[in-house]
Amino acid sequence: MTTMMSAATTCTQPLLEAKHLQLSYGQQVAFHDVSLPIASGEIMAIVGPSGCGKSSFLSCLNRMSDLVPHCHVQGEIHFNGTNILSPRTDTLLLRRRIGMIFQKPNPFPLSVWENLALPLREHGLVKSQTSRRAFRQAIHQAIEAVLRDVGLWEEVKNRLHSSALALSGGQQQRLCIARALILQPEVLLLDEPCSALDPLASAVVEELMLRLRPRYTQVVITHNLAQAKRIADRIAVFWVQQHKGQLIEVGSTQQIFNAPTHELTAAYVSGGKG
Amino acid sequence: MQTFEMSQLSSLRRAHRRDRILRHSLRLLGSITGLLVLLITLFVLQEAWPALQNLGFIRFWTDGSWHPLEGSFGLMPMVLGSGLIALGATAIATPLGLLSALFCQCYGPPLLVVPYRRLLELLAGIPSVVYGFWGLVVLVPQINRLHPPGQSLLAGTLILSLMILPTVALLAIASLAQIPSSYWQGAAALSLSRWTTLTRIILPSARSGLFTAVVLATGRALGETMAVLMVCGNVVQVPSSVFDPVRSLTANIALEMAYATGDHRAVLFVSGLVLLAIVAGLVVMAEGISNQGMSSESVIVHER
C-alpha cells in the first residue's frame, strides 16, 4: 500500500516545495540549505534528533515563523506554484490552506462546539441562510461532519456545549485536528502530534492520519521511528552538522529503513544514533 | 559503603533542619504581618467605640450635616464624595489602563513597548503629593477658567484617574501575560483575526485577572488622601455638579484629626473604620473573582 502510494505520488508535480531554505534566529542558524518537495496527498514524516531544526522547518511552511521575533527565513517555498515567502503573500489566506497541529493539544477555553464554530464563522465558511435557524443548522452539520471525520462525534455528541478542556488529551488533540480540518485546508502540518499522548490515544491519532490520506497532504514531525514507519509514505531525515540543522536524506519509507544511503541515516534507523 | 550511607544520612538531616528553620521563620514573619493588620483594625475599632456607643451607628447616615463641634455628625456627604471620586477615577482609568495593557501585550512593537512600560512603572512611583501639587497649579486653574472655583470633584477625579492608571495597566499586563502562548499560536494557525482572537479568546480568558486589576485600583483610589485633599476643595456637601468642591473621607480625617477631641475624634475613627471596611470588601471581592477564574480553569462556554 505504502509503496504504491509513493510510486503514484512521486511522478506528479509537488504541491509544496522548499528550495534552499535557511532559517536563523538572530545569528544562530537553525537549519540551512533544505530542499524538499512534498507531493499532493502523501504523508511526509520528518525525523531526526532534537535541535536539528525540524519544528523550525515546519513553521516556515505556513509562515508561523513570522510570529517568532528575530527569526529570519531565506530561500523559497513554492505552494501551488507561488513563492509563499514573498512579502505579498496573504498569511491569513495561506494559513487557511495550510493548517497546523501542535505538540501539545491547544483547544481554546471554550465549549467543544464553540472551538469549531469560531473558525467557521470567522471565515464565513457556512453560507448565510435565509433564517437564523437554517444558519445554525448548517453550522451544526459542518461540525458534526468534521467530528465524525476525526472519530470524535460519538464521544462528544452529548457534551458539545461543555468545555473542551474537560476532554482527555487524545480527544483534545483530535478536536484540534477537527478544528484545522473545518477550514478545509489542503495541507496539514503536524508537529509531534502524539508526543503528549499515551500509546492508546496516539494509536487513534495515527489511525486518523492514515484515514485522512490522500484527501489531505500531511507533513508530520515525529520522534517515534516506528510511528514514521507505520504511517509515512516518505521520510525526510534531518541532522545537526557543524551546529546547523541539515536535511541529510529523503526517500520512501521502505528505502530509508531498508537501504539508507547516508551512513547517519543507517545508524539512526538501526538505533545506533540519535 | 557504610560511610557513604552515613554521609548521605547526615546531609539529609541537614536538609531537613534547614527546611524547618525556613518554615518557622516564614511562619513568624507571616503571622507578624497578619497581626499588624488585625491590631490596626482593633485599634481603630477601640478608638471609634465611644462614638458608636454614644451616638449609634445610624446617626452617621441620618445627620443632615457635618458640624462636629455642634454635635452634628453626618458622614454621608463625605462617603458620597469618596465614592464619586473613586468611581469617576475608575471609570476613566479602566478603559485607558486596559487599552495600555493591550497595546503592551498584543499590538505594540517591542521597541516602543519597553519604554512605555517603564513609563507606567514611573507613573506608579510618583509620590501622591507631587500629583496633588501638579493638579493644584496646572489642572485646577484650567478648570477654574471653565467653571469656577476649580477645586472640584472633577479635579479630584482626573488626578486620581492618572494615579490609578498604572495600577490598572500593570496588573492587566500581568494577567494578559499569563495567557498561554498556545492560545495565540492556535488562533494564528486558524488565521483568526486579531480582533476575534482578543475578544473571543484572550480577553475572556484573562477576565478574572482584569476584574481584579480594576477592583484593586478602585481600592487604591478610595484610600488616596493627599492629592485629593489638595485639589478637591474640601467643602462638605453633596455635589450638584462635577464642578462643585467635595470632601472625601480620607481628606476629612487628615484635615481634622489634629484638633479633634472627644466624640469628634471618635467619629473620625468611625470614618476610618468605614474606609477600612469598604477597601476590605473590595479586596475580598477581587480575591473571590480571581479564585473563581482559577477554579473553573477560566472556561467560557458561550451560547450558540
Side-chain angles (χ1 to χ4, degrees), chain B residues 219-279:
Chain B
R220 201 190 150 200
L222 274 173
E224 179 48 46
T225 310
M226 188 44 92
V228 173
L229 185 144
M230 288 167 85
V231 301
C232 280
N234 302 319
V235 179
V236 184
Q237 60 176 358
V238 177
S240 56
S241 87
V242 290
F243 297 108
D244 282 353
V246 289
R247 184 186 287 192
S248 71
L249 275 179
T250 48
N252 189 46
I253 298 172
L255 285 167
E256 301 192 356
M257 198 43 111
Y259 64 86
T261 52
D263 273 354
H264 181 196
R265 182 172 179 279
V267 173
L268 291 183
F269 275 99
V270 171
S271 46
L273 205 61
V274 170
L275 265 176
L276 252 174
I278 298 176
V279 173

Side-chain angles (χ1 to χ4, degrees), chain A residues 66-82:
Chain A
D66 289 11
L67 305 184
V68 183
H70 310 299
C71 173
H72 183 62
V73 183
Q74 283 170 295
E76 288 177 13
I77 300 173
H78 288 270
F79 178 50
N80 279 335
T82 54

Side-chain angles (χ1 to χ4, degrees), chain A residues 16 58 62 64-65 87 89 95 97 101 105 110 120 130 173 193 195 218 220 226 243 253 267:
Chain A
L16 191 59
L58 203 69
N62 65 347
M64 285 290 279
S65 51
T89 303
R95 289 181 198 141
R97 298 173 69 188
I101 313 296
L110 305 166
L120 260 188
T130 44
Q173 193 62 300
S195 65
Q218 299 170 68
V220 53
H243 308 292
T253 305

Side-chain angles (χ1 to χ4, degrees), chain B residues 126-151:
Chain B
I126 296 177
S128 75
V129 67
V130 175
Y131 277 105
F133 188 55
W134 179 80
L136 201 58
V137 298
V138 178
L139 196 62
V140 167
Q142 295 292 331
I143 296 177
N144 180 39
R145 228 187 295 161
L146 212 64
H147 192 299
Q151 291 192 323

Side-chain angles (χ1 to χ4, degrees), chain B residues 21 25 39 42 73-74 80 110 139 147 184 191 299:
Chain B
I21 292 172
S25 43
L39 282 177
L42 280 178
F73 296 107
L80 211 66
L139 196 62
H147 192 299
W184 283 105
S191 40
V299 170

Side-chain angles (χ1 to χ4, degrees), chain A residues 64 67 92 95-96 100 102 106-111 113-114 118-119 121-123 161 163 179 183, chain B residues 182-193 196 200-201 205 297-304:
Chain A
M64 285 290 279
L67 305 184
L92 286 184
R95 289 181 198 141
R96 259 183 67 176
M100 192 167 210
F102 299 89
N106 60 346
F108 299 131
L110 305 166
S111 66
W113 169 280
E114 200 59 33
L118 190 62
R121 281 196 296 255
E122 171 86 358
H123 298 292
H161 296 289
S163 168
R179 199 173 62 180
L183 297 183
Chain B
S182 65
Y183 291 175
W184 283 105
Q185 282 178 344
L190 289 169
S191 40
L192 299 183
S193 67
T196 308
R200 303 302 303 278
I201 300 163
S205 305
E297 289 185 85
S298 41
V299 170
I300 314 102
V301 179
H302 289 289
E303 277 301 301
R304 273 176 275 180

Side-chain angles (χ1 to χ4, degrees), chain B residues 76-151:
Chain B
M76 209 52 197
M78 289 174 288
V79 171
L80 211 66
S82 275
L84 284 176
I85 298 170
L87 284 183
T90 310
I92 297 174
T94 299
L96 287 178
L98 293 187
L99 287 177
S100 307
L102 284 179
F103 171 74
C104 277
Q105 286 304 107
C106 314
Y107 283 94
L111 219 63
L112 222 68
V113 162
V114 175
Y116 187 75
R117 271 197 69 157
R118 293 284 166 278
L119 217 63
L120 281 175
E121 283 157 13
L122 189 71
L123 213 56
I126 296 177
S128 75
V129 67
V130 175
Y131 277 105
F133 188 55
W134 179 80
L136 201 58
V137 298
V138 178
L139 196 62
V140 167
Q142 295 292 331
I143 296 177
N144 180 39
R145 228 187 295 161
L146 212 64
H147 192 299
Q151 291 192 323

